[in-house]
Each structure stands twice: as C-alpha cells, then as structure tokens.
Amino acid sequence: VIQAVFFGICVLTDLSSLLTRGNDSQEQERQLKKLISLRDWMMAVLAFPVGVFVVTMFWSIYIYDRELVYPKLLDNFIPAWLNHGMHTTVLPFVLIEMRTTHHQYPSRSCGLAAVCTFAVGYILWVCWIHHVTGVWVYPLLEHLSPGVKIIFFAAVTVIINVFYLVGEVLNNYIWDTQK
C-alpha cells in the first residue's frame, strides 16, 4: 500500500509539473512544491526504508524457512506473481525512482523520528491484531518468547532506521549532494 500510494503521488507530481509548465500561476507553483515535498518525504521516510526492509527481511526469512513468514497454504490463495509484486518488485522500482529523481531528504533527526514513529506504530498494530484475533500476522512471532519479541521489535526498528540512512547516503551519492 505504501508503494502504491507513493508511486501514485509520483505520477501526480509528474503530471502536475507537465500541466503547469509555462504557467505563471503562483498558486499552482505553490501547490506543486507541496506535492514535491510530500513525494520526497514519502520516498525518504517510507518508500525506501520500508521497501528495502520488506524485500530483505521477507526473502531472508523465506529462504531460511518460508513457513515462518509465508506459509505454503497461502499459495492456494495468493498467486506467485502477486507475492513477487508485494515482496520483490518493490526494490527495483524504488531504486529506479531514486536514480531518476532527486529527492530532498528531511533533516536527519526529523527523518529518523518519522521512521521510528512508523516502525513503532506498525509494531503496535501487529500486536493489536494479535490481541484482538489471537493470531500473529507473521507466523515467525508465534515462535518467539515475549522477551525475544521485544528484542526482535527493537532490532527491526534499528534496521529500518539503518535503511533510512542508507537511502539518504545513496541519494546524496547518486545526485552528488552534501548535507
């Protein structure tokens, strides 16, 4: 969903830029700048770190023991192309976007705070679903003791923050910018 919303905003930004080119409207220019800022923020804070995290974590766990993250039973309901759409294509598309469009990253402290907020919110959502249904969204969590779950959730939060920093460094390298 994050990727679909992000790339929808990318298309909207590109279309708005094309449609307002040559137009001297201050209001349209202001709105376009807001849209570009939203696109850049979403890339920095959500699309890149979450996208890279999903691909690396999903396939690492899948290769180790697919039943921990994507039980074979799901093959009956979710076709392979959709699984790859959710867990594979994210990475090449986000890398292509990073290479073709310069994104202005927020200040490091604001970016890391936003990534942490998202990670903690998502973890709380996963825990809430378990609380209400008694089932963990990710089967891996069934096999972890409460203490290990806390360590796992902390590690996940650290990893996604590292991916934010990797995205910032990669963006600056590709576009030869310095903070």
Side-chain angles (χ1 to χ4, degrees):
V1 172
I2 289 170
Q3 299 301 319
V5 170
F6 169 69
F7 283 111
I9 289 171
C10 288
V11 169
L12 186 58
T13 302
D14 290 345
L15 287 175
S16 296
S17 179
L18 288 172
L19 294 174
T20 59
R21 186 167 288 158
N23 190 338
D24 291 335
S25 170
Q26 297 278 340
E27 179 60 23
Q28 286 181 343
E29 188 66 28
R30 193 173 67 77
Q31 294 299 326
L32 180 58
K33 285 182 181 180
K34 282 183 182 179
L35 200 52
I36 290 169
S37 292
L38 175 62
R39 177 203 66 194
D40 289 351
W41 184 87
M42 279 198 70
M43 174 64 165
V45 172
L46 295 174
F48 186 86
V50 173
V52 174
F53 178 82
V54 164
V55 172
T56 57
M57 287 298 288
F58 177 84
W59 288 110
S60 295
I61 296 169
Y62 187 96
I63 288 167
Y64 174 73
D65 181 358
R66 76 170 284 176
E67 294 297 318
L68 295 175
V69 72
Y70 192 81
K72 195 157 182 59
L73 171 72
L74 291 178
D75 291 343
N76 297 326
F77 308 102
I78 302 173
W81 66 266
L82 185 55
N83 180 25
H84 284 289
M86 294 185 296
H87 300 113
T88 307
T89 60
V90 170
L91 184 58
F93 287 140
V94 81
L95 290 173
I96 290 167
E97 170 65 18
M98 182 171 278
R99 179 61 186 100
T100 59
T101 307
H102 176 256
H103 295 277
Q104 187 67 42
Y105 270 60
S107 71
R108 187 167 287 173
S109 58
C110 288
L112 290 172
V115 171
C116 279
T117 300
F118 172 80
V120 169
Y122 189 79
I123 289 165
L124 291 173
W125 178 247
V126 167
C127 291
W128 176 254
I129 291 171
H130 176 260
H131 173 74
V132 171
T133 66
V135 176
W136 287 105
V137 176
Y138 302 105
L140 166 71
L141 297 172
E142 294 173 14
H143 303 285
L144 304 178
S145 68
V148 174
K149 273 187 193 81
I150 291 169
I151 293 168
F152 177 77
F153 290 145
V156 161
T157 303
V158 168
I159 291 168
I160 203 164
N161 277 275
V162 168
F163 286 142
Y164 170 84
L165 295 172
V166 168
E168 182 183 52
V169 168
L170 186 59
N171 184 65
N172 289 339
Y173 175 77
I174 289 170
W175 296 98
D176 198 23
T177 59
Q178 294 181 2
K179 287 273 182 183

mmCIF file with all atom_site columns, all heavy atoms in Angstrom, residues 54-71 83-84 87-88:
data_model
loop_
_atom_site.group_PDB
_atom_site.id
_atom_site.type_symbol
_atom_site.label_atom_id
_atom_site.label_alt_id
_atom_site.label_comp_id
_atom_site.label_asym_id
_atom_site.label_entity_id
_atom_site.label_seq_id
_atom_site.pdbx_PDB_ins_code
_atom_site.Cartn_x
_atom_site.Cartn_y
_atom_site.Cartn_z
_atom_site.occupancy
_atom_site.B_iso_or_equiv
_atom_site.pdbx_formal_charge
_atom_site.auth_seq_id
_atom_site.auth_comp_id
_atom_site.auth_asym_id
_atom_site.auth_atom_id
_atom_site.pdbx_PDB_model_num
ATOM 1   N N   . VAL A 1 54 ? 11.234 -4.642  3.663  1.00 0.00 ? 54 VAL A N   1
ATOM 2   C CA  . VAL A 1 54 ? 10.299 -5.723  3.315  1.00 0.00 ? 54 VAL A CA  1
ATOM 3   C C   . VAL A 1 54 ? 10.988 -6.754  2.430  1.00 0.00 ? 54 VAL A C   1
ATOM 4   O O   . VAL A 1 54 ? 10.904 -7.955  2.686  1.00 0.00 ? 54 VAL A O   1
ATOM 5   C CB  . VAL A 1 54 ? 9.032  -5.162  2.636  1.00 0.00 ? 54 VAL A CB  1
ATOM 6   C CG1 . VAL A 1 54 ? 8.240  -6.251  1.937  1.00 0.00 ? 54 VAL A CG1 1
ATOM 7   C CG2 . VAL A 1 54 ? 8.164  -4.431  3.653  1.00 0.00 ? 54 VAL A CG2 1
ATOM 8   N N   . VAL A 1 55 ? 11.676 -6.287  1.399  1.00 0.00 ? 55 VAL A N   1
ATOM 9   C CA  . VAL A 1 55 ? 12.325 -7.223  0.475  1.00 0.00 ? 55 VAL A CA  1
ATOM 10  C C   . VAL A 1 55 ? 13.401 -8.038  1.190  1.00 0.00 ? 55 VAL A C   1
ATOM 11  O O   . VAL A 1 55 ? 13.435 -9.267  1.078  1.00 0.00 ? 55 VAL A O   1
ATOM 12  C CB  . VAL A 1 55 ? 12.914 -6.477  -0.744 1.00 0.00 ? 55 VAL A CB  1
ATOM 13  C CG1 . VAL A 1 55 ? 13.756 -7.411  -1.607 1.00 0.00 ? 55 VAL A CG1 1
ATOM 14  C CG2 . VAL A 1 55 ? 11.800 -5.854  -1.572 1.00 0.00 ? 55 VAL A CG2 1
ATOM 15  N N   . THR A 1 56 ? 14.283 -7.367  1.932  1.00 0.00 ? 56 THR A N   1
ATOM 16  C CA  . THR A 1 56 ? 15.384 -8.098  2.573  1.00 0.00 ? 56 THR A CA  1
ATOM 17  C C   . THR A 1 56 ? 14.897 -9.029  3.677  1.00 0.00 ? 56 THR A C   1
ATOM 18  O O   . THR A 1 56 ? 15.341 -10.182 3.748  1.00 0.00 ? 56 THR A O   1
ATOM 19  C CB  . THR A 1 56 ? 16.452 -7.133  3.126  1.00 0.00 ? 56 THR A CB  1
ATOM 20  O OG1 . THR A 1 56 ? 15.845 -6.224  4.026  1.00 0.00 ? 56 THR A OG1 1
ATOM 21  C CG2 . THR A 1 56 ? 17.157 -6.380  2.018  1.00 0.00 ? 56 THR A CG2 1
ATOM 22  N N   . MET A 1 57 ? 13.990 -8.565  4.511  1.00 0.00 ? 57 MET A N   1
ATOM 23  C CA  . MET A 1 57 ? 13.510 -9.411  5.610  1.00 0.00 ? 57 MET A CA  1
ATOM 24  C C   . MET A 1 57 ? 12.668 -10.571 5.091  1.00 0.00 ? 57 MET A C   1
ATOM 25  O O   . MET A 1 57 ? 12.850 -11.716 5.508  1.00 0.00 ? 57 MET A O   1
ATOM 26  C CB  . MET A 1 57 ? 12.703 -8.588  6.615  1.00 0.00 ? 57 MET A CB  1
ATOM 27  C CG  . MET A 1 57 ? 13.547 -7.673  7.462  1.00 0.00 ? 57 MET A CG  1
ATOM 28  S SD  . MET A 1 57 ? 14.737 -8.531  8.498  1.00 0.00 ? 57 MET A SD  1
ATOM 29  C CE  . MET A 1 57 ? 13.668 -9.261  9.714  1.00 0.00 ? 57 MET A CE  1
ATOM 30  N N   . PHE A 1 58 ? 11.729 -10.270 4.186  1.00 0.00 ? 58 PHE A N   1
ATOM 31  C CA  . PHE A 1 58 ? 10.847 -11.316 3.683  1.00 0.00 ? 58 PHE A CA  1
ATOM 32  C C   . PHE A 1 58 ? 11.646 -12.438 3.045  1.00 0.00 ? 58 PHE A C   1
ATOM 33  O O   . PHE A 1 58 ? 11.482 -13.617 3.384  1.00 0.00 ? 58 PHE A O   1
ATOM 34  C CB  . PHE A 1 58 ? 9.827  -10.752 2.689  1.00 0.00 ? 58 PHE A CB  1
ATOM 35  C CG  . PHE A 1 58 ? 8.943  -11.815 2.097  1.00 0.00 ? 58 PHE A CG  1
ATOM 36  C CD1 . PHE A 1 58 ? 7.817  -12.251 2.779  1.00 0.00 ? 58 PHE A CD1 1
ATOM 37  C CD2 . PHE A 1 58 ? 9.248  -12.410 0.880  1.00 0.00 ? 58 PHE A CD2 1
ATOM 38  C CE1 . PHE A 1 58 ? 7.003  -13.257 2.249  1.00 0.00 ? 58 PHE A CE1 1
ATOM 39  C CE2 . PHE A 1 58 ? 8.441  -13.407 0.348  1.00 0.00 ? 58 PHE A CE2 1
ATOM 40  C CZ  . PHE A 1 58 ? 7.324  -13.827 1.030  1.00 0.00 ? 58 PHE A CZ  1
ATOM 41  N N   . TRP A 1 59 ? 12.530 -12.095 2.096  1.00 0.00 ? 59 TRP A N   1
ATOM 42  C CA  . TRP A 1 59 ? 13.237 -13.138 1.363  1.00 0.00 ? 59 TRP A CA  1
ATOM 43  C C   . TRP A 1 59 ? 14.299 -13.830 2.224  1.00 0.00 ? 59 TRP A C   1
ATOM 44  O O   . TRP A 1 59 ? 14.570 -15.017 2.034  1.00 0.00 ? 59 TRP A O   1
ATOM 45  C CB  . TRP A 1 59 ? 13.809 -12.608 0.058  1.00 0.00 ? 59 TRP A CB  1
ATOM 46  C CG  . TRP A 1 59 ? 12.687 -12.372 -0.916 1.00 0.00 ? 59 TRP A CG  1
ATOM 47  C CD1 . TRP A 1 59 ? 12.220 -11.173 -1.360 1.00 0.00 ? 59 TRP A CD1 1
ATOM 48  C CD2 . TRP A 1 59 ? 11.853 -13.367 -1.511 1.00 0.00 ? 59 TRP A CD2 1
ATOM 49  N NE1 . TRP A 1 59 ? 11.141 -11.359 -2.208 1.00 0.00 ? 59 TRP A NE1 1
ATOM 50  C CE2 . TRP A 1 59 ? 10.894 -12.696 -2.324 1.00 0.00 ? 59 TRP A CE2 1
ATOM 51  C CE3 . TRP A 1 59 ? 11.802 -14.748 -1.457 1.00 0.00 ? 59 TRP A CE3 1
ATOM 52  C CZ2 . TRP A 1 59 ? 9.918  -13.379 -3.049 1.00 0.00 ? 59 TRP A CZ2 1
ATOM 53  C CZ3 . TRP A 1 59 ? 10.827 -15.426 -2.187 1.00 0.00 ? 59 TRP A CZ3 1
ATOM 54  C CH2 . TRP A 1 59 ? 9.905  -14.734 -2.967 1.00 0.00 ? 59 TRP A CH2 1
ATOM 55  N N   . SER A 1 60 ? 14.883 -13.122 3.184  1.00 0.00 ? 60 SER A N   1
ATOM 56  C CA  . SER A 1 60 ? 15.832 -13.773 4.095  1.00 0.00 ? 60 SER A CA  1
ATOM 57  C C   . SER A 1 60 ? 15.130 -14.830 4.933  1.00 0.00 ? 60 SER A C   1
ATOM 58  O O   . SER A 1 60 ? 15.612 -15.967 5.063  1.00 0.00 ? 60 SER A O   1
ATOM 59  C CB  . SER A 1 60 ? 16.474 -12.740 5.029  1.00 0.00 ? 60 SER A CB  1
ATOM 60  O OG  . SER A 1 60 ? 17.245 -11.833 4.305  1.00 0.00 ? 60 SER A OG  1
ATOM 61  N N   . ILE A 1 61 ? 13.986 -14.470 5.489  1.00 0.00 ? 61 ILE A N   1
ATOM 62  C CA  . ILE A 1 61 ? 13.234 -15.426 6.308  1.00 0.00 ? 61 ILE A CA  1
ATOM 63  C C   . ILE A 1 61 ? 12.635 -16.523 5.431  1.00 0.00 ? 61 ILE A C   1
ATOM 64  O O   . ILE A 1 61 ? 12.647 -17.703 5.798  1.00 0.00 ? 61 ILE A O   1
ATOM 65  C CB  . ILE A 1 61 ? 12.150 -14.709 7.135  1.00 0.00 ? 61 ILE A CB  1
ATOM 66  C CG1 . ILE A 1 61 ? 12.815 -13.753 8.136  1.00 0.00 ? 61 ILE A CG1 1
ATOM 67  C CG2 . ILE A 1 61 ? 11.264 -15.713 7.861  1.00 0.00 ? 61 ILE A CG2 1
ATOM 68  C CD1 . ILE A 1 61 ? 11.840 -12.806 8.827  1.00 0.00 ? 61 ILE A CD1 1
ATOM 69  N N   . TYR A 1 62 ? 12.132 -16.158 4.259  1.00 0.00 ? 62 TYR A N   1
ATOM 70  C CA  . TYR A 1 62 ? 11.549 -17.123 3.327  1.00 0.00 ? 62 TYR A CA  1
ATOM 71  C C   . TYR A 1 62 ? 12.577 -18.193 2.943  1.00 0.00 ? 62 TYR A C   1
ATOM 72  O O   . TYR A 1 62 ? 12.265 -19.380 2.927  1.00 0.00 ? 62 TYR A O   1
ATOM 73  C CB  . TYR A 1 62 ? 11.053 -16.391 2.081  1.00 0.00 ? 62 TYR A CB  1
ATOM 74  C CG  . TYR A 1 62 ? 10.284 -17.241 1.104  1.00 0.00 ? 62 TYR A CG  1
ATOM 75  C CD1 . TYR A 1 62 ? 8.895  -17.268 1.121  1.00 0.00 ? 62 TYR A CD1 1
ATOM 76  C CD2 . TYR A 1 62 ? 10.936 -18.003 0.134  1.00 0.00 ? 62 TYR A CD2 1
ATOM 77  C CE1 . TYR A 1 62 ? 8.181  -18.029 0.214  1.00 0.00 ? 62 TYR A CE1 1
ATOM 78  C CE2 . TYR A 1 62 ? 10.236 -18.771 -0.777 1.00 0.00 ? 62 TYR A CE2 1
ATOM 79  C CZ  . TYR A 1 62 ? 8.849  -18.782 -0.728 1.00 0.00 ? 62 TYR A CZ  1
ATOM 80  O OH  . TYR A 1 62 ? 8.150  -19.546 -1.633 1.00 0.00 ? 62 TYR A OH  1
ATOM 81  N N   . ILE A 1 63 ? 13.791 -17.768 2.641  1.00 0.00 ? 63 ILE A N   1
ATOM 82  C CA  . ILE A 1 63 ? 14.845 -18.722 2.268  1.00 0.00 ? 63 ILE A CA  1
ATOM 83  C C   . ILE A 1 63 ? 15.193 -19.624 3.455  1.00 0.00 ? 63 ILE A C   1
ATOM 84  O O   . ILE A 1 63 ? 15.402 -20.817 3.288  1.00 0.00 ? 63 ILE A O   1
ATOM 85  C CB  . ILE A 1 63 ? 16.093 -17.977 1.747  1.00 0.00 ? 63 ILE A CB  1
ATOM 86  C CG1 . ILE A 1 63 ? 15.788 -17.386 0.363  1.00 0.00 ? 63 ILE A CG1 1
ATOM 87  C CG2 . ILE A 1 63 ? 17.312 -18.888 1.689  1.00 0.00 ? 63 ILE A CG2 1
ATOM 88  C CD1 . ILE A 1 63 ? 16.814 -16.368 -0.119 1.00 0.00 ? 63 ILE A CD1 1
ATOM 89  N N   . TYR A 1 64 ? 15.213 -19.055 4.646  1.00 0.00 ? 64 TYR A N   1
ATOM 90  C CA  . TYR A 1 64 ? 15.524 -19.837 5.847  1.00 0.00 ? 64 TYR A CA  1
ATOM 91  C C   . TYR A 1 64 ? 14.421 -20.854 6.130  1.00 0.00 ? 64 TYR A C   1
ATOM 92  O O   . TYR A 1 64 ? 14.683 -22.046 6.293  1.00 0.00 ? 64 TYR A O   1
ATOM 93  C CB  . TYR A 1 64 ? 15.737 -18.905 7.039  1.00 0.00 ? 64 TYR A CB  1
ATOM 94  C CG  . TYR A 1 64 ? 15.925 -19.637 8.336  1.00 0.00 ? 64 TYR A CG  1
ATOM 95  C CD1 . TYR A 1 64 ? 17.100 -20.313 8.611  1.00 0.00 ? 64 TYR A CD1 1
ATOM 96  C CD2 . TYR A 1 64 ? 14.896 -19.672 9.284  1.00 0.00 ? 64 TYR A CD2 1
ATOM 97  C CE1 . TYR A 1 64 ? 17.273 -21.005 9.799  1.00 0.00 ? 64 TYR A CE1 1
ATOM 98  C CE2 . TYR A 1 64 ? 15.053 -20.354 10.473 1.00 0.00 ? 64 TYR A CE2 1
ATOM 99  C CZ  . TYR A 1 64 ? 16.232 -21.017 10.729 1.00 0.00 ? 64 TYR A CZ  1
ATOM 100 O OH  . TYR A 1 64 ? 16.383 -21.703 11.909 1.00 0.00 ? 64 TYR A OH  1
ATOM 101 N N   . ASP A 1 65 ? 13.172 -20.375 6.221  1.00 0.00 ? 65 ASP A N   1
ATOM 102 C CA  . ASP A 1 65 ? 12.021 -21.253 6.475  1.00 0.00 ? 65 ASP A CA  1
ATOM 103 C C   . ASP A 1 65 ? 10.761 -20.489 6.096  1.00 0.00 ? 65 ASP A C   1
ATOM 104 O O   . ASP A 1 65 ? 10.264 -19.665 6.863  1.00 0.00 ? 65 ASP A O   1
ATOM 105 C CB  . ASP A 1 65 ? 11.972 -21.660 7.947  1.00 0.00 ? 65 ASP A CB  1
ATOM 106 C CG  . ASP A 1 65 ? 10.805 -22.596 8.271  1.00 0.00 ? 65 ASP A CG  1
ATOM 107 O OD1 . ASP A 1 65 ? 9.995  -22.904 7.367  1.00 0.00 ? 65 ASP A OD1 1
ATOM 108 O OD2 . ASP A 1 65 ? 10.695 -23.006 9.434  1.00 0.00 ? 65 ASP A OD2 1
ATOM 109 N N   . ARG A 1 66 ? 10.271 -20.734 4.916  1.00 0.00 ? 66 ARG A N   1
ATOM 110 C CA  . ARG A 1 66 ? 9.133  -19.974 4.400  1.00 0.00 ? 66 ARG A CA  1
ATOM 111 C C   . ARG A 1 66 ? 7.913  -20.025 5.318  1.00 0.00 ? 66 ARG A C   1
ATOM 112 O O   . ARG A 1 66 ? 7.111  -19.099 5.338  1.00 0.00 ? 66 ARG A O   1
ATOM 113 C CB  . ARG A 1 66 ? 8.769  -20.420 2.991  1.00 0.00 ? 66 ARG A CB  1
ATOM 114 C CG  . ARG A 1 66 ? 8.020  -21.740 2.913  1.00 0.00 ? 66 ARG A CG  1
ATOM 115 C CD  . ARG A 1 66 ? 7.488  -22.030 1.554  1.00 0.00 ? 66 ARG A CD  1
ATOM 116 N NE  . ARG A 1 66 ? 6.316  -21.220 1.302  1.00 0.00 ? 66 ARG A NE  1
ATOM 117 C CZ  . ARG A 1 66 ? 5.670  -21.198 0.150  1.00 0.00 ? 66 ARG A CZ  1
ATOM 118 N NH1 . ARG A 1 66 ? 6.084  -21.926 -0.861 1.00 0.00 ? 66 ARG A NH1 1
ATOM 119 N NH2 . ARG A 1 66 ? 4.609  -20.450 -0.006 1.00 0.00 ? 66 ARG A NH2 1
ATOM 120 N N   . GLU A 1 67 ? 7.747  -21.101 6.066  1.00 0.00 ? 67 GLU A N   1
ATOM 121 C CA  . GLU A 1 67 ? 6.584  -21.231 6.949  1.00 0.00 ? 67 GLU A CA  1
ATOM 122 C C   . GLU A 1 67 ? 6.566  -20.146 8.029  1.00 0.00 ? 67 GLU A C   1
ATOM 123 O O   . GLU A 1 67 ? 5.511  -19.835 8.585  1.00 0.00 ? 67 GLU A O   1
ATOM 124 C CB  . GLU A 1 67 ? 6.549  -22.615 7.592  1.00 0.00 ? 67 GLU A CB  1
ATOM 125 C CG  . GLU A 1 67 ? 6.318  -23.755 6.609  1.00 0.00 ? 67 GLU A CG  1
ATOM 126 C CD  . GLU A 1 67 ? 4.969  -23.695 5.908  1.00 0.00 ? 67 GLU A CD  1
ATOM 127 O OE1 . GLU A 1 67 ? 3.954  -23.397 6.563  1.00 0.00 ? 67 GLU A OE1 1
ATOM 128 O OE2 . GLU A 1 67 ? 4.925  -23.946 4.681  1.00 0.00 ? 67 GLU A OE2 1
ATOM 129 N N   . LEU A 1 68 ? 7.717  -19.563 8.324  1.00 0.00 ? 68 LEU A N   1
ATOM 130 C CA  . LEU A 1 68 ? 7.786  -18.515 9.358  1.00 0.00 ? 68 LEU A CA  1
ATOM 131 C C   . LEU A 1 68 ? 7.229  -17.178 8.881  1.00 0.00 ? 68 LEU A C   1
ATOM 132 O O   . LEU A 1 68 ? 6.892  -16.321 9.695  1.00 0.00 ? 68 LEU A O   1
ATOM 133 C CB  . LEU A 1 68 ? 9.238  -18.322 9.810  1.00 0.00 ? 68 LEU A CB  1
ATOM 134 C CG  . LEU A 1 68 ? 9.885  -19.494 10.527 1.00 0.00 ? 68 LEU A CG  1
ATOM 135 C CD1 . LEU A 1 68 ? 11.342 -19.204 10.811 1.00 0.00 ? 68 LEU A CD1 1
ATOM 136 C CD2 . LEU A 1 68 ? 9.123  -19.819 11.810 1.00 0.00 ? 68 LEU A CD2 1
ATOM 137 N N   . VAL A 1 69 ? 7.144  -16.990 7.563  1.00 0.00 ? 69 VAL A N   1
ATOM 138 C CA  . VAL A 1 69 ? 6.713  -15.689 7.061  1.00 0.00 ? 69 VAL A CA  1
ATOM 139 C C   . VAL A 1 69 ? 5.623  -15.792 5.989  1.00 0.00 ? 69 VAL A C   1
ATOM 140 O O   . VAL A 1 69 ? 4.809  -14.887 5.838  1.00 0.00 ? 69 VAL A O   1
ATOM 141 C CB  . VAL A 1 69 ? 7.931  -14.882 6.546  1.00 0.00 ? 69 VAL A CB  1
ATOM 142 C CG1 . VAL A 1 69 ? 8.479  -15.429 5.260  1.00 0.00 ? 69 VAL A CG1 1
ATOM 143 C CG2 . VAL A 1 69 ? 7.603  -13.420 6.407  1.00 0.00 ? 69 VAL A CG2 1
ATOM 144 N N   . TYR A 1 70 ? 5.597  -16.889 5.250  1.00 0.00 ? 70 TYR A N   1
ATOM 145 C CA  . TYR A 1 70 ? 4.652  -17.032 4.136  1.00 0.00 ? 70 TYR A CA  1
ATOM 146 C C   . TYR A 1 70 ? 4.329  -18.515 3.969  1.00 0.00 ? 70 TYR A C   1
ATOM 147 O O   . TYR A 1 70 ? 4.882  -19.192 3.093  1.00 0.00 ? 70 TYR A O   1
ATOM 148 C CB  . TYR A 1 70 ? 5.292  -16.461 2.867  1.00 0.00 ? 70 TYR A CB  1
ATOM 149 C CG  . TYR A 1 70 ? 4.356  -16.266 1.711  1.00 0.00 ? 70 TYR A CG  1
ATOM 150 C CD1 . TYR A 1 70 ? 3.528  -15.154 1.639  1.00 0.00 ? 70 TYR A CD1 1
ATOM 151 C CD2 . TYR A 1 70 ? 4.314  -17.188 0.665  1.00 0.00 ? 70 TYR A CD2 1
ATOM 152 C CE1 . TYR A 1 70 ? 2.683  -14.958 0.560  1.00 0.00 ? 70 TYR A CE1 1
ATOM 153 C CE2 . TYR A 1 70 ? 3.475  -17.010 -0.412 1.00 0.00 ? 70 TYR A CE2 1
ATOM 154 C CZ  . TYR A 1 70 ? 2.672  -15.895 -0.463 1.00 0.00 ? 70 TYR A CZ  1
ATOM 155 O OH  . TYR A 1 70 ? 1.833  -15.697 -1.539 1.00 0.00 ? 70 TYR A OH  1
ATOM 156 N N   . PRO A 1 71 ? 3.448  -19.039 4.831  1.00 0.00 ? 71 PRO A N   1
ATOM 157 C CA  . PRO A 1 71 ? 3.156  -20.476 4.804  1.00 0.00 ? 71 PRO A CA  1
ATOM 158 C C   . PRO A 1 71 ? 2.703  -20.967 3.426  1.00 0.00 ? 71 PRO A C   1
ATOM 159 O O   . PRO A 1 71 ? 2.041  -20.238 2.676  1.00 0.00 ? 71 PRO A O   1
ATOM 160 C CB  . PRO A 1 71 ? 2.021  -20.617 5.823  1.00 0.00 ? 71 PRO A CB  1
ATOM 161 C CG  . PRO A 1 71 ? 2.138  -19.412 6.705  1.00 0.00 ? 71 PRO A CG  1
ATOM 162 C CD  . PRO A 1 71 ? 2.682  -18.323 5.841  1.00 0.00 ? 71 PRO A CD  1
ATOM 163 N N   . ASN A 1 83 ? 2.677  -12.385 -4.964 1.00 0.00 ? 83 ASN A N   1
ATOM 164 C CA  . ASN A 1 83 ? 3.689  -12.457 -3.920 1.00 0.00 ? 83 ASN A CA  1
ATOM 165 C C   . ASN A 1 83 ? 4.924  -11.647 -4.340 1.00 0.00 ? 83 ASN A C   1
ATOM 166 O O   . ASN A 1 83 ? 5.453  -10.856 -3.557 1.00 0.00 ? 83 ASN A O   1
ATOM 167 C CB  . ASN A 1 83 ? 4.075  -13.907 -3.637 1.00 0.00 ? 83 ASN A CB  1
ATOM 168 C CG  . ASN A 1 83 ? 5.123  -14.023 -2.553 1.00 0.00 ? 83 ASN A CG  1
ATOM 169 O OD1 . ASN A 1 83 ? 5.272  -13.166 -1.691 1.00 0.00 ? 83 ASN A OD1 1
ATOM 170 N ND2 . ASN A 1 83 ? 5.888  -15.099 -2.612 1.00 0.00 ? 83 ASN A ND2 1
ATOM 171 N N   . HIS A 1 84 ? 5.362  -11.829 -5.572 1.00 0.00 ? 84 HIS A N   1
ATOM 172 C CA  . HIS A 1 84 ? 6.515  -11.060 -6.055 1.00 0.00 ? 84 HIS A CA  1
ATOM 173 C C   . HIS A 1 84 ? 6.178  -9.570  -6.170 1.00 0.00 ? 84 HIS A C   1
ATOM 174 O O   . HIS A 1 84 ? 7.041  -8.721  -5.925 1.00 0.00 ? 84 HIS A O   1
ATOM 175 C CB  . HIS A 1 84 ? 7.029  -11.608 -7.383 1.00 0.00 ? 84 HIS A CB  1
ATOM 176 C CG  . HIS A 1 84 ? 7.806  -12.862 -7.224 1.00 0.00 ? 84 HIS A CG  1
ATOM 177 N ND1 . HIS A 1 84 ? 9.061  -12.890 -6.650 1.00 0.00 ? 84 HIS A ND1 1
ATOM 178 C CD2 . HIS A 1 84 ? 7.512  -14.143 -7.541 1.00 0.00 ? 84 HIS A CD2 1
ATOM 179 C CE1 . HIS A 1 84 ? 9.507  -14.128 -6.629 1.00 0.00 ? 84 HIS A CE1 1
ATOM 180 N NE2 . HIS A 1 84 ? 8.586  -14.911 -7.158 1.00 0.00 ? 84 HIS A NE2 1
ATOM 181 N N   . HIS A 1 87 ? 6.585  -8.465  -2.540 1.00 0.00 ? 87 HIS A N   1
ATOM 182 C CA  . HIS A 1 87 ? 7.828  -8.723  -1.814 1.00 0.00 ? 87 HIS A CA  1
ATOM 183 C C   . HIS A 1 87 ? 9.100  -8.692  -2.658 1.00 0.00 ? 87 HIS A C   1
ATOM 184 O O   . HIS A 1 87 ? 10.175 -8.932  -2.121 1.00 0.00 ? 87 HIS A O   1
ATOM 185 C CB  . HIS A 1 87 ? 7.736  -10.081 -1.110 1.00 0.00 ? 87 HIS A CB  1
ATOM 186 C CG  . HIS A 1 87 ? 6.634  -10.160 -0.128 1.00 0.00 ? 87 HIS A CG  1
ATOM 187 N ND1 . HIS A 1 87 ? 5.543  -10.985 -0.312 1.00 0.00 ? 87 HIS A ND1 1
ATOM 188 C CD2 . HIS A 1 87 ? 6.419  -9.507  1.039  1.00 0.00 ? 87 HIS A CD2 1
ATOM 189 C CE1 . HIS A 1 87 ? 4.715  -10.841 0.712  1.00 0.00 ? 87 HIS A CE1 1
ATOM 190 N NE2 . HIS A 1 87 ? 5.222  -9.947  1.543  1.00 0.00 ? 87 HIS A NE2 1
ATOM 191 N N   . THR A 1 88 ? 9.012  -8.404  -3.957 1.00 0.00 ? 88 THR A N   1
ATOM 192 C CA  . THR A 1 88 ? 10.200 -8.394  -4.794 1.00 0.00 ? 88 THR A CA  1
ATOM 193 C C   . THR A 1 88 ? 10.317 -7.107  -5.608 1.00 0.00 ? 88 THR A C   1
ATOM 194 O O   . THR A 1 88 ? 11.333 -6.421  -5.542 1.00 0.00 ? 88 THR A O   1
ATOM 195 C CB  . THR A 1 88 ? 10.207 -9.595  -5.769 1.00 0.00 ? 88 THR A CB  1
ATOM 196 O OG1 . THR A 1 88 ? 10.015 -10.794 -5.028 1.00 0.00 ? 88 THR A OG1 1
ATOM 197 C CG2 . THR A 1 88 ? 11.506 -9.672  -6.546 1.00 0.00 ? 88 THR A CG2 1
#
